[in-house]
Amino acid sequence: MRLFLLMLKVQFKAVYAQPGKEGGKGSEGFQRVTTWLVSILVCALVAFFLGSFGFSLQALGAGSAVPAFASIFALAGGALTSFSKASDVLFAAKDYDFTMSLPVPQRTQVLARLASLYLGGVSFAAVLVVPLCGAAMYCDPALVSPVRLAAVVACTLLMPAPVVGVCALLAAGIAAFTARFKAAKALSTVLQLCAGLAIAGAWFFISSSIHSDDTTALSAMADTLAKGMGLWLPPAAAVIDTWCRGSWGALALLSIECVAVAAICVWIVSHCYRAIATMVSATPASSQRASQLRPRDSRSPLMALSLKEVSQAFDTPAVVLNQLFGMVGMVAMAGAFAFAGHAFISGQAGPEAVGPEVADIIELTVVLFIAYLASICPMSGVATSLEGPCAWIMLTLPLPKKIILLSKMLPWCVMCAALSLVCCVLLAIGGVAWQAIALCAVLPFSFFWFTANLGLLIDVSRPNFGWVSPATVANRSRSVLVCSFASMGLWIVCLAVKFILGLVFGWSVGALAALLGGLAVVLLLGGYGLFRATLRRPILCGEKA
């Protein structure tokens, strides 16, 4: 235990240590306080929403769905913090040689590295699960009992553990498979993306297989959901049984399942950790780097730097997977609505259909959600910090600063524009109104352009070149946090304005599309203004070289 606590201290210092600053301590303190206040505000809003959701479920007689949703949220918390970051935390840390030289067992080192992911999953689960179950207990005081309180605690503390273990095992397997290839990290990123899509597809299959014959009674639908979740997810079955029947035996079974799965996964990873890490560090990349450094007369400096940015991004799965999932989500959302959602709201899939005004509002809502997915986590927000110790190469290039900074956004702008056109084609095939299709061609890109420039400005102003693991850049970057809040705020404001003007004041779909198109123009101009402001800032602002 003493060695584990010592290694845990080393890992937390490596993750949370800040590079030294030459000045501006007051500004740094103000930014930290602002970040904490915004984070607390967002957590409070999420807790209020989930509390209202739990209270409504219990008040409407669908209380059996509360533990099912609590289980889903707890598992999702562990997945959000570990799926894309486990590989970098285990095999991309720069302190590997130092930690492996210590007289510490491999199992202790693996546990210490995964501890930050587990604690992050517990934090997410606490924010999601506790308000949901607490509001249900507040609605029905008869639910307050020691066994249900223990179920909430166990769901929060234990259910993220097997998810973190499975993600670590998956990351180790992918790293062991891809270590033999030259483009190992890029291939690892692609395989992780495919694994994430496979998991999403499996979850869609599970959720679509759960349906109730009685769609008029919420209690019957809730019971069907609880039974379905219990059938596919054994830990969820234990939580549901503990909550609904007050079974201490089910609580003990939940503890055994979560601890056993996590322990087995950690044991397997720790048993192969040294071998896999050695294979990853010895990946033959010299020929690949040599091919990248070969002079090519036909390639412009902007194109060469853009290709370098793409290669660097795919070498850091913890960072690029967030944007890739958003981009894939754009196409998935457009395709799902084109082939299923539009037929449902127009009455082609059943006898009931919504009115044309409401259908137009729904179509614009889908376009807004596509725009939100496009801008949720722009890669340019961490592109400067990812240079790390090699930042001096970027700073000494005999190129204009405009070319260097533009190369950090150009590949992702091209990707976003191309996928926006793909979404337009899918919506056109599905028979969506032409106003929504035209809006889909510009609004997602304008959202992305604005948030990408905002993230680039923040990252250039205060880069973090002293990271130990690339996952640290993704976890603790202010630019990622600000861009996420900015895209969410734009999305919420646009939704509110659209619903108020469309449903209350009766604006037509053309007028709403024109208003949102004007917003797109404003965002494009605002992004250009942010890019001009970035050009006037020194990259090493306040950082010690």
Side-chain angles (χ1 to χ4, degrees):
M1 178 60 69
R2 180 175 174 273
L3 289 177
F4 171 72
L5 294 178
L6 178 62
M7 291 299 301
L8 190 62
K9 180 180 178 181
V10 171
Q11 293 300 319
F12 274 96
K13 281 190 174 183
V15 171
Y16 293 101
Q18 291 286 342
K21 303 286 188 295
E22 292 179 354
K25 293 184 178 179
S27 175
E28 174 70 14
F30 174 76
Q31 292 188 11
R32 287 189 182 184
V33 172
T34 303
T35 303
W36 276 103
L37 289 178
V38 173
S39 301
I40 292 173
L41 177 61
V42 172
C43 291
L45 292 175
V46 172
F48 175 77
F49 172 77
L50 290 175
S52 303
F53 182 58
F55 187 91
S56 302
L57 286 177
Q58 190 64 37
L60 295 174
S64 58
V66 171
F69 281 109
S71 303
I72 295 172
F73 292 154
L75 294 174
L80 286 173
T81 58
S82 58
F83 180 78
S84 62
K85 301 176 179 64
S87 178
D88 285 340
V89 168
L90 288 173
F91 304 111
K94 296 180 180 178
D95 61 346
Y96 170 75
D97 294 335
F98 168 71
T99 55
M100 292 304 292
S101 64
L102 298 175
V104 179
Q106 295 184 42
R107 181 175 64 255
T108 302
Q109 297 195 28
V110 172
L111 284 173
R113 292 189 182 278
L114 295 178
S116 60
L117 302 182
Y118 168 72
L119 293 178
V122 170
S123 302
F124 270 102
V127 173
L128 300 176
V129 173
V130 174
L132 179 72
C133 299
M137 292 181 177
Y138 179 78
C139 179
D140 186 3
L143 293 176
V144 180
S145 63
V147 65
R148 290 187 177 88
L149 293 175
V152 174
V153 175
C155 184
T156 303
L157 297 180
L158 295 180
M159 292 196 72
V163 180
V164 175
V166 171
C167 290
L169 184 61
L170 177 64
I174 292 177
F177 173 75
T178 58
R180 69 193 71 180
F181 300 99
K182 293 181 180 179
K185 292 185 178 180
L187 181 60
S188 174
T189 302
V190 174
L191 290 180
Q192 289 188 48
L193 178 63
C194 294
L197 295 177
I199 294 172
W203 174 252
F204 178 78
F205 171 77
I206 293 173
S207 59
S208 62
S209 65
I210 302 173
H211 61 276
S212 175
D213 297 330
D214 186 5
T215 58
T216 59
L218 284 176
S219 59
M221 296 175 65
D223 292 338
T224 303
L225 175 64
K227 292 178 181 178
M229 288 294 103
L231 177 63
W232 291 99
L233 300 172
V239 174
I240 295 169
D241 197 28
T242 304
W243 180 273
C244 297
R245 301 178 183 176
S247 172
W248 287 99
L251 182 62
L253 180 62
L254 171 67
S255 304
I256 294 174
E257 289 176 347
C258 294
V259 174
V261 172
I264 292 174
C265 293
V266 170
W267 182 83
I268 296 175
V269 173
S270 60
H271 183 72
C272 308
Y273 180 62
R274 185 187 294 271
I276 297 176
T278 303
M279 292 172 59
V280 170
S281 61
T283 300
S286 57
S287 58
Q288 178 191 12
R289 299 303 180 193
S291 63
Q292 291 179 358
L293 295 176
R294 263 185 224 126
R296 300 182 182 181
D297 298 334
S298 60
R299 179 177 296 176
S300 65
L302 179 59
M303 183 63 66
L305 289 177
S306 299
L307 293 177
K308 188 271 297 182
E309 291 295 328
V310 174
S311 176
Q312 179 176 271
F314 275 87
D315 284 349
T316 53
V319 182
V320 73
L321 279 178
N322 296 329
Q323 175 158 332
L324 291 180
F325 278 126
M327 295 294 181
V328 172
M330 293 171 57
V331 180
M333 184 68 186
F337 183 76
F339 294 106
H342 186 262
F344 177 77
I345 65 173
S346 61
Q348 300 175 9
E352 297 183 358
V354 299
E357 298 83 3
V358 178
D360 293 337
I361 295 295
I362 294 176
E363 290 175 356
L364 293 180
T365 303
V366 171
V367 174
L368 281 174
F369 192 70
I370 292 174
Y372 170 69
L373 291 174
S375 60
I376 190 171
C377 188
M379 186 68 192
S380 59
V382 294
T384 305
S385 295
L386 280 180
E387 299 289 345
C390 299
W392 64 272
I393 301 177
M394 173 186 64
L395 299 174
T396 55
L397 286 175
L399 293 173
K401 187 178 179 181
K402 180 180 180 180
I403 298 296
I404 297 175
L405 295 181
L406 188 60
S407 67
K408 297 185 178 300
M409 293 194 303
L410 180 61
W412 318 113
C413 290
V414 173
M415 180 185 296
C416 181
L419 292 181
S420 297
L421 294 179
V422 172
C423 293
C424 291
V425 173
L426 292 174
L427 294 179
I429 294 174
V432 177
W434 68 269
Q435 295 93 337
I437 297 174
L439 186 64
C440 185
V442 295
L443 193 62
F445 182 79
S446 65
F447 267 54
F448 174 80
W449 173 254
F450 180 79
T451 55
N453 280 284
L454 178 62
L456 182 66
L457 174 63
I458 298 174
D459 195 39
V460 168
S461 301
R462 307 195 73 85
N464 176 18
F465 296 135
W467 45 265
V468 176
S469 170
T472 306
V473 181
N475 293 340
R476 307 200 61 243
S477 174
R478 289 191 185 93
S479 57
V480 173
L481 184 66
V482 172
C483 289
S484 300
F485 289 156
S487 60
M488 183 181 298
L490 285 172
W491 182 58
I492 293 174
V493 171
C494 290
L495 281 179
V497 172
K498 177 179 62 63
F499 276 112
I500 292 174
L501 296 179
L503 298 180
V504 178
F505 294 96
W507 280 35
S508 64
V509 61
L512 291 174
L515 178 64
L516 293 176
L519 174 64
V521 174
V522 172
L523 291 177
L524 290 174
L525 295 176
Y528 178 74
L530 290 174
F531 184 73
R532 297 286 298 180
T534 306
L535 292 178
R536 294 191 294 267
R537 287 181 175 267
I539 294 181
L540 289 178
C541 180
E543 297 283 352
K544 289 184 179 181

